PDB file of all heavy atoms in Angstrom:
ATOM      1  N   TYR A  18     -17.624   4.910  11.073  1.00  0.00           N
ATOM      2  CA  TYR A  18     -16.625   4.286  11.942  1.00  0.00           C
ATOM      3  C   TYR A  18     -17.096   4.253  13.393  1.00  0.00           C
ATOM      4  O   TYR A  18     -16.914   3.259  14.093  1.00  0.00           O
ATOM      5  CB  TYR A  18     -15.290   5.025  11.850  1.00  0.00           C
ATOM      6  CG  TYR A  18     -14.226   4.390  12.722  1.00  0.00           C
ATOM      7  CD1 TYR A  18     -13.555   3.237  12.303  1.00  0.00           C
ATOM      8  CD2 TYR A  18     -13.905   4.922  13.965  1.00  0.00           C
ATOM      9  CE1 TYR A  18     -12.598   2.643  13.100  1.00  0.00           C
ATOM     10  CE2 TYR A  18     -12.947   4.327  14.767  1.00  0.00           C
ATOM     11  CZ  TYR A  18     -12.287   3.190  14.340  1.00  0.00           C
ATOM     12  OH  TYR A  18     -11.351   2.590  15.143  1.00  0.00           O
ATOM     13  N   PHE A  19     -17.705   5.350  13.856  1.00  0.00           N
ATOM     14  CA  PHE A  19     -18.188   5.383  15.231  1.00  0.00           C
ATOM     15  C   PHE A  19     -19.244   4.311  15.470  1.00  0.00           C
ATOM     16  O   PHE A  19     -19.396   3.810  16.583  1.00  0.00           O
ATOM     17  CB  PHE A  19     -18.758   6.760  15.572  1.00  0.00           C
ATOM     18  CG  PHE A  19     -17.738   7.866  15.498  1.00  0.00           C
ATOM     19  CD1 PHE A  19     -18.110   9.147  15.128  1.00  0.00           C
ATOM     20  CD2 PHE A  19     -16.410   7.633  15.809  1.00  0.00           C
ATOM     21  CE1 PHE A  19     -17.174  10.172  15.059  1.00  0.00           C
ATOM     22  CE2 PHE A  19     -15.460   8.646  15.739  1.00  0.00           C
ATOM     23  CZ  PHE A  19     -15.843   9.926  15.356  1.00  0.00           C
ATOM     24  N   CYS A  20     -19.990   3.952  14.426  1.00  0.00           N
ATOM     25  CA  CYS A  20     -21.038   2.942  14.555  1.00  0.00           C
ATOM     26  C   CYS A  20     -20.537   1.519  14.295  1.00  0.00           C
ATOM     27  O   CYS A  20     -20.982   0.580  14.953  1.00  0.00           O
ATOM     28  CB  CYS A  20     -22.184   3.236  13.585  1.00  0.00           C
ATOM     29  SG  CYS A  20     -23.056   4.784  13.899  1.00  0.00           S
ATOM     30  N   PHE A  21     -19.610   1.353  13.346  1.00  0.00           N
ATOM     31  CA  PHE A  21     -19.224   0.010  12.900  1.00  0.00           C
ATOM     32  C   PHE A  21     -17.717  -0.223  12.901  1.00  0.00           C
ATOM     33  O   PHE A  21     -17.229  -1.152  12.252  1.00  0.00           O
ATOM     34  CB  PHE A  21     -19.762  -0.242  11.480  1.00  0.00           C
ATOM     35  CG  PHE A  21     -21.235   0.051  11.321  1.00  0.00           C
ATOM     36  CD1 PHE A  21     -21.664   1.102  10.514  1.00  0.00           C
ATOM     37  CD2 PHE A  21     -22.178  -0.700  11.998  1.00  0.00           C
ATOM     38  CE1 PHE A  21     -23.013   1.385  10.362  1.00  0.00           C
ATOM     39  CE2 PHE A  21     -23.532  -0.432  11.865  1.00  0.00           C
ATOM     40  CZ  PHE A  21     -23.955   0.611  11.049  1.00  0.00           C
ATOM     41  N   GLY A  22     -16.974   0.608  13.614  1.00  0.00           N
ATOM     42  CA  GLY A  22     -15.515   0.516  13.588  1.00  0.00           C
ATOM     43  C   GLY A  22     -14.923  -0.491  14.547  1.00  0.00           C
ATOM     44  O   GLY A  22     -13.720  -0.436  14.819  1.00  0.00           O
ATOM     45  N   ASP A  23     -15.730  -1.423  15.058  1.00  0.00           N
ATOM     46  CA  ASP A  23     -15.177  -2.443  15.953  1.00  0.00           C
ATOM     47  C   ASP A  23     -14.261  -3.404  15.198  1.00  0.00           C
ATOM     48  O   ASP A  23     -13.320  -3.952  15.765  1.00  0.00           O
ATOM     49  CB  ASP A  23     -16.288  -3.219  16.673  1.00  0.00           C
ATOM     50  CG  ASP A  23     -17.427  -3.624  15.746  1.00  0.00           C
ATOM     51  OD1 ASP A  23     -17.372  -3.294  14.552  1.00  0.00           O
ATOM     52  OD2 ASP A  23     -18.382  -4.257  16.243  1.00  0.00           O
ATOM     53  N   VAL A  24     -14.526  -3.585  13.891  1.00  0.00           N
ATOM     54  CA  VAL A  24     -13.670  -4.433  13.058  1.00  0.00           C
ATOM     55  C   VAL A  24     -13.346  -3.680  11.771  1.00  0.00           C
ATOM     56  O   VAL A  24     -14.256  -3.182  11.102  1.00  0.00           O
ATOM     57  CB  VAL A  24     -14.368  -5.764  12.692  1.00  0.00           C
ATOM     58  CG1 VAL A  24     -13.415  -6.655  11.900  1.00  0.00           C
ATOM     59  CG2 VAL A  24     -14.861  -6.487  13.940  1.00  0.00           C
ATOM     60  N   ILE A  25     -12.061  -3.588  11.430  1.00  0.00           N
ATOM     61  CA  ILE A  25     -11.683  -2.906  10.186  1.00  0.00           C
ATOM     62  C   ILE A  25     -10.792  -3.803   9.333  1.00  0.00           C
ATOM     63  O   ILE A  25     -10.038  -4.626   9.855  1.00  0.00           O
ATOM     64  CB  ILE A  25     -10.957  -1.562  10.451  1.00  0.00           C
ATOM     65  CG1 ILE A  25      -9.615  -1.778  11.157  1.00  0.00           C
ATOM     66  CG2 ILE A  25     -11.832  -0.620  11.246  1.00  0.00           C
ATOM     67  CD1 ILE A  25      -8.779  -0.508  11.261  1.00  0.00           C
ATOM     68  N   ALA A  26     -10.927  -3.662   8.034  1.00  0.00           N
ATOM     69  CA  ALA A  26     -10.028  -4.323   7.079  1.00  0.00           C
ATOM     70  C   ALA A  26      -9.101  -3.250   6.524  1.00  0.00           C
ATOM     71  O   ALA A  26      -9.529  -2.125   6.258  1.00  0.00           O
ATOM     72  CB  ALA A  26     -10.827  -4.984   5.961  1.00  0.00           C
ATOM     73  N   PHE A  27      -7.850  -3.596   6.358  1.00  0.00           N
ATOM     74  CA  PHE A  27      -6.813  -2.618   6.025  1.00  0.00           C
ATOM     75  C   PHE A  27      -5.959  -3.234   4.919  1.00  0.00           C
ATOM     76  O   PHE A  27      -5.325  -4.265   5.119  1.00  0.00           O
ATOM     77  CB  PHE A  27      -6.019  -2.366   7.313  1.00  0.00           C
ATOM     78  CG  PHE A  27      -4.789  -1.524   7.200  1.00  0.00           C
ATOM     79  CD1 PHE A  27      -4.694  -0.488   6.297  1.00  0.00           C
ATOM     80  CD2 PHE A  27      -3.720  -1.750   8.055  1.00  0.00           C
ATOM     81  CE1 PHE A  27      -3.554   0.288   6.221  1.00  0.00           C
ATOM     82  CE2 PHE A  27      -2.573  -0.980   8.000  1.00  0.00           C
ATOM     83  CZ  PHE A  27      -2.491   0.040   7.063  1.00  0.00           C
ATOM     84  N   ASP A  28      -5.992  -2.645   3.715  1.00  0.00           N
ATOM     85  CA  ASP A  28      -5.292  -3.259   2.592  1.00  0.00           C
ATOM     86  C   ASP A  28      -4.677  -2.204   1.682  1.00  0.00           C
ATOM     87  O   ASP A  28      -5.195  -1.095   1.550  1.00  0.00           O
ATOM     88  CB  ASP A  28      -6.266  -4.131   1.791  1.00  0.00           C
ATOM     89  CG  ASP A  28      -5.546  -5.042   0.809  1.00  0.00           C
ATOM     90  OD1 ASP A  28      -4.431  -5.488   1.134  1.00  0.00           O
ATOM     91  OD2 ASP A  28      -6.096  -5.308  -0.268  1.00  0.00           O
ATOM     92  N   THR A  29      -3.562  -2.554   1.047  1.00  0.00           N
ATOM     93  CA  THR A  29      -2.857  -1.666   0.130  1.00  0.00           C
ATOM     94  C   THR A  29      -2.631  -2.410  -1.171  1.00  0.00           C
ATOM     95  O   THR A  29      -1.806  -3.313  -1.241  1.00  0.00           O
ATOM     96  CB  THR A  29      -1.485  -1.265   0.720  1.00  0.00           C
ATOM     97  OG1 THR A  29      -1.669  -0.819   2.061  1.00  0.00           O
ATOM     98  CG2 THR A  29      -0.849  -0.173  -0.101  1.00  0.00           C
ATOM     99  N   THR A  30      -3.368  -2.029  -2.216  1.00  0.00           N
ATOM    100  CA  THR A  30      -3.249  -2.809  -3.445  1.00  0.00           C
ATOM    101  C   THR A  30      -3.211  -1.988  -4.731  1.00  0.00           C
ATOM    102  O   THR A  30      -2.736  -2.465  -5.750  1.00  0.00           O
ATOM    103  CB  THR A  30      -4.447  -3.779  -3.579  1.00  0.00           C
ATOM    104  OG1 THR A  30      -5.650  -3.018  -3.515  1.00  0.00           O
ATOM    105  CG2 THR A  30      -4.450  -4.809  -2.479  1.00  0.00           C
ATOM    106  N   TYR A  31      -3.684  -0.763  -4.705  1.00  0.00           N
ATOM    107  CA  TYR A  31      -4.020  -0.060  -5.947  1.00  0.00           C
ATOM    108  C   TYR A  31      -3.049   1.064  -6.244  1.00  0.00           C
ATOM    109  O   TYR A  31      -2.809   1.906  -5.396  1.00  0.00           O
ATOM    110  CB  TYR A  31      -5.450   0.468  -5.809  1.00  0.00           C
ATOM    111  CG  TYR A  31      -6.003   1.190  -7.006  1.00  0.00           C
ATOM    112  CD1 TYR A  31      -6.393   0.510  -8.141  1.00  0.00           C
ATOM    113  CD2 TYR A  31      -6.160   2.568  -6.986  1.00  0.00           C
ATOM    114  CE1 TYR A  31      -6.930   1.170  -9.224  1.00  0.00           C
ATOM    115  CE2 TYR A  31      -6.698   3.241  -8.064  1.00  0.00           C
ATOM    116  CZ  TYR A  31      -7.077   2.538  -9.177  1.00  0.00           C
ATOM    117  OH  TYR A  31      -7.613   3.203 -10.250  1.00  0.00           O
ATOM    118  N   LYS A  32      -2.450   1.090  -7.456  1.00  0.00           N
ATOM    119  CA  LYS A  32      -1.466   2.125  -7.796  1.00  0.00           C
ATOM    120  C   LYS A  32      -1.819   2.897  -9.055  1.00  0.00           C
ATOM    121  O   LYS A  32      -0.993   3.622  -9.589  1.00  0.00           O
ATOM    122  CB  LYS A  32      -0.086   1.492  -7.990  1.00  0.00           C
ATOM    123  CG  LYS A  32       0.556   0.961  -6.713  1.00  0.00           C
ATOM    124  CD  LYS A  32       1.970   0.499  -6.998  1.00  0.00           C
ATOM    125  CE  LYS A  32       2.671   0.032  -5.737  1.00  0.00           C
ATOM    126  NZ  LYS A  32       4.059  -0.375  -6.001  1.00  0.00           N
ATOM    127  N   LYS A  33      -3.039   2.744  -9.525  1.00  0.00           N
ATOM    128  CA  LYS A  33      -3.393   3.356 -10.804  1.00  0.00           C
ATOM    129  C   LYS A  33      -3.696   4.850 -10.668  1.00  0.00           C
ATOM    130  O   LYS A  33      -4.819   5.305 -10.841  1.00  0.00           O
ATOM    131  CB  LYS A  33      -4.603   2.626 -11.409  1.00  0.00           C
ATOM    132  CG  LYS A  33      -4.361   1.144 -11.649  1.00  0.00           C
ATOM    133  CD  LYS A  33      -3.304   0.915 -12.711  1.00  0.00           C
ATOM    134  CE  LYS A  33      -3.119  -0.556 -13.021  1.00  0.00           C
ATOM    135  NZ  LYS A  33      -2.093  -0.807 -14.019  1.00  0.00           N
ATOM    136  N   ASN A  34      -2.686   5.628 -10.280  1.00  0.00           N
ATOM    137  CA  ASN A  34      -2.845   7.072 -10.214  1.00  0.00           C
ATOM    138  C   ASN A  34      -1.595   7.731 -10.768  1.00  0.00           C
ATOM    139  O   ASN A  34      -0.569   7.082 -10.981  1.00  0.00           O
ATOM    140  CB  ASN A  34      -3.124   7.532  -8.764  1.00  0.00           C
ATOM    141  CG  ASN A  34      -2.074   7.033  -7.793  1.00  0.00           C
ATOM    142  OD1 ASN A  34      -0.961   7.533  -7.758  1.00  0.00           O
ATOM    143  ND2 ASN A  34      -2.420   6.021  -6.993  1.00  0.00           N
ATOM    144  N   LYS A  35      -1.670   9.010 -10.989  1.00  0.00           N
ATOM    145  CA  LYS A  35      -0.589   9.756 -11.629  1.00  0.00           C
ATOM    146  C   LYS A  35       0.739   9.591 -10.899  1.00  0.00           C
ATOM    147  O   LYS A  35       1.804   9.564 -11.515  1.00  0.00           O
ATOM    148  CB  LYS A  35      -0.994  11.227 -11.695  1.00  0.00           C
ATOM    149  CG  LYS A  35       0.024  12.141 -12.361  1.00  0.00           C
ATOM    150  CD  LYS A  35      -0.492  13.571 -12.410  1.00  0.00           C
ATOM    151  CE  LYS A  35       0.503  14.505 -13.090  1.00  0.00           C
ATOM    152  NZ  LYS A  35      -0.021  15.891 -13.139  1.00  0.00           N
ATOM    153  N   TYR A  36       0.691   9.460  -9.577  1.00  0.00           N
ATOM    154  CA  TYR A  36       1.904   9.426  -8.768  1.00  0.00           C
ATOM    155  C   TYR A  36       2.411   8.003  -8.532  1.00  0.00           C
ATOM    156  O   TYR A  36       3.448   7.799  -7.922  1.00  0.00           O
ATOM    157  CB  TYR A  36       1.633  10.105  -7.434  1.00  0.00           C
ATOM    158  CG  TYR A  36       0.915  11.417  -7.609  1.00  0.00           C
ATOM    159  CD1 TYR A  36      -0.477  11.485  -7.474  1.00  0.00           C
ATOM    160  CD2 TYR A  36       1.591  12.574  -7.951  1.00  0.00           C
ATOM    161  CE1 TYR A  36      -1.160  12.681  -7.671  1.00  0.00           C
ATOM    162  CE2 TYR A  36       0.920  13.779  -8.149  1.00  0.00           C
ATOM    163  CZ  TYR A  36      -0.456  13.815  -8.010  1.00  0.00           C
ATOM    164  OH  TYR A  36      -1.129  15.001  -8.213  1.00  0.00           O
ATOM    165  N   ASN A  37       1.649   7.003  -9.009  1.00  0.00           N
ATOM    166  CA  ASN A  37       1.990   5.599  -8.802  1.00  0.00           C
ATOM    167  C   ASN A  37       2.158   5.278  -7.322  1.00  0.00           C
ATOM    168  O   ASN A  37       3.002   4.465  -6.935  1.00  0.00           O
ATOM    169  CB  ASN A  37       3.262   5.234  -9.568  1.00  0.00           C
ATOM    170  CG  ASN A  37       3.350   3.739  -9.820  1.00  0.00           C
ATOM    171  OD1 ASN A  37       2.340   3.074 -10.026  1.00  0.00           O
ATOM    172  ND2 ASN A  37       4.556   3.201  -9.785  1.00  0.00           N
ATOM    173  N   TYR A  38       1.363   5.944  -6.491  1.00  0.00           N
ATOM    174  CA  TYR A  38       1.374   5.688  -5.048  1.00  0.00           C
ATOM    175  C   TYR A  38       0.331   4.631  -4.705  1.00  0.00           C
ATOM    176  O   TYR A  38      -0.769   4.628  -5.270  1.00  0.00           O
ATOM    177  CB  TYR A  38       1.020   6.971  -4.279  1.00  0.00           C
ATOM    178  CG  TYR A  38       2.177   7.893  -4.004  1.00  0.00           C
ATOM    179  CD1 TYR A  38       3.369   7.796  -4.712  1.00  0.00           C
ATOM    180  CD2 TYR A  38       2.075   8.878  -3.024  1.00  0.00           C
ATOM    181  CE1 TYR A  38       4.421   8.656  -4.455  1.00  0.00           C
ATOM    182  CE2 TYR A  38       3.122   9.751  -2.765  1.00  0.00           C
ATOM    183  CZ  TYR A  38       4.289   9.631  -3.475  1.00  0.00           C
ATOM    184  OH  TYR A  38       5.335  10.485  -3.223  1.00  0.00           O
ATOM    185  N   PRO A  39       0.667   3.730  -3.788  1.00  0.00           N
ATOM    186  CA  PRO A  39      -0.340   2.761  -3.333  1.00  0.00           C
ATOM    187  C   PRO A  39      -1.504   3.477  -2.646  1.00  0.00           C
ATOM    188  O   PRO A  39      -1.301   4.440  -1.908  1.00  0.00           O
ATOM    189  CB  PRO A  39       0.429   1.901  -2.329  1.00  0.00           C
ATOM    190  CG  PRO A  39       1.875   2.110  -2.648  1.00  0.00           C
ATOM    191  CD  PRO A  39       1.978   3.516  -3.144  1.00  0.00           C
ATOM    192  N   LEU A  40      -2.694   2.991  -2.886  1.00  0.00           N
ATOM    193  CA  LEU A  40      -3.891   3.518  -2.215  1.00  0.00           C
ATOM    194  C   LEU A  40      -4.270   2.564  -1.099  1.00  0.00           C
ATOM    195  O   LEU A  40      -4.455   1.376  -1.319  1.00  0.00           O
ATOM    196  CB  LEU A  40      -5.049   3.649  -3.202  1.00  0.00           C
ATOM    197  CG  LEU A  40      -6.395   4.068  -2.604  1.00  0.00           C
ATOM    198  CD1 LEU A  40      -6.318   5.495  -2.060  1.00  0.00           C
ATOM    199  CD2 LEU A  40      -7.505   3.947  -3.645  1.00  0.00           C
ATOM    200  N   VAL A  41      -4.351   3.082   0.107  1.00  0.00           N
ATOM    201  CA  VAL A  41      -4.723   2.278   1.273  1.00  0.00           C
ATOM    202  C   VAL A  41      -6.196   2.516   1.585  1.00  0.00           C
ATOM    203  O   VAL A  41      -6.631   3.661   1.675  1.00  0.00           O
ATOM    204  CB  VAL A  41      -3.874   2.649   2.505  1.00  0.00           C
ATOM    205  CG1 VAL A  41      -4.227   1.754   3.683  1.00  0.00           C
ATOM    206  CG2 VAL A  41      -2.391   2.545   2.176  1.00  0.00           C
ATOM    207  N   ILE A  42      -6.951   1.438   1.752  1.00  0.00           N
ATOM    208  CA  ILE A  42      -8.372   1.532   2.060  1.00  0.00           C
ATOM    209  C   ILE A  42      -8.624   1.007   3.468  1.00  0.00           C
ATOM    210  O   ILE A  42      -8.181  -0.088   3.824  1.00  0.00           O
ATOM    211  CB  ILE A  42      -9.226   0.707   1.068  1.00  0.00           C
ATOM    212  CG1 ILE A  42      -9.008   1.190  -0.365  1.00  0.00           C
ATOM    213  CG2 ILE A  42     -10.704   0.758   1.444  1.00  0.00           C
ATOM    214  CD1 ILE A  42      -9.585   2.542  -0.652  1.00  0.00           C
ATOM    215  N   PHE A  43      -9.333   1.774   4.289  1.00  0.00           N
ATOM    216  CA  PHE A  43      -9.823   1.311   5.581  1.00  0.00           C
ATOM    217  C   PHE A  43     -11.321   1.044   5.414  1.00  0.00           C
ATOM    218  O   PHE A  43     -12.072   1.971   5.104  1.00  0.00           O
ATOM    219  CB  PHE A  43      -9.635   2.375   6.665  1.00  0.00           C
ATOM    220  CG  PHE A  43      -8.204   2.674   6.999  1.00  0.00           C
ATOM    221  CD1 PHE A  43      -7.515   3.678   6.338  1.00  0.00           C
ATOM    222  CD2 PHE A  43      -7.545   1.954   7.987  1.00  0.00           C
ATOM    223  CE1 PHE A  43      -6.192   3.972   6.645  1.00  0.00           C
ATOM    224  CE2 PHE A  43      -6.232   2.238   8.305  1.00  0.00           C
ATOM    225  CZ  PHE A  43      -5.541   3.249   7.636  1.00  0.00           C
ATOM    226  N   SER A  44     -11.737  -0.181   5.606  1.00  0.00           N
ATOM    227  CA  SER A  44     -13.148  -0.485   5.403  1.00  0.00           C
ATOM    228  C   SER A  44     -13.685  -1.372   6.516  1.00  0.00           C
ATOM    229  O   SER A  44     -12.936  -1.920   7.324  1.00  0.00           O
ATOM    230  CB  SER A  44     -13.353  -1.168   4.047  1.00  0.00           C
ATOM    231  OG  SER A  44     -12.710  -2.426   4.030  1.00  0.00           O
ATOM    232  N   GLY A  45     -15.003  -1.497   6.543  1.00  0.00           N
ATOM    233  CA  GLY A  45     -15.653  -2.325   7.549  1.00  0.00           C
ATOM    234  C   GLY A  45     -16.947  -2.892   7.010  1.00  0.00           C
ATOM    235  O   GLY A  45     -17.194  -2.888   5.808  1.00  0.00           O
ATOM    236  N   CYS A  46     -17.778  -3.368   7.925  1.00  0.00           N
ATOM    237  CA  CYS A  46     -19.043  -4.006   7.554  1.00  0.00           C
ATOM    238  C   CYS A  46     -20.167  -3.334   8.336  1.00  0.00           C
ATOM    239  O   CYS A  46     -20.099  -3.230   9.555  1.00  0.00           O
ATOM    240  CB  CYS A  46     -18.965  -5.497   7.892  1.00  0.00           C
ATOM    241  SG  CYS A  46     -20.437  -6.437   7.491  1.00  0.00           S
TER     242      CYS A  46
END
């Protein structure tokens, strides 16, 4: 993040876990 965190993608799509909680991913390039 310190090197490439100038742009981030932020999405919530995945619920395939025991708690059926959405998984949020912070990603970049």
Side-chain angles (χ1 to χ4, degrees):
Y18 181 79
F19 297 148
C20 296
F21 309 113
D23 44 359
V24 184
I25 65 172
F27 173 33
D28 193 34
T29 311
T30 56
Y31 182 74
K32 291 186 177 182
K33 301 294 184 181
N34 54 75
K35 181 178 181 180
Y36 313 97
N37 202 34
Y38 275 18
L40 175 66
V41 183
I42 301 290
F43 294 91
S44 65
C46 180

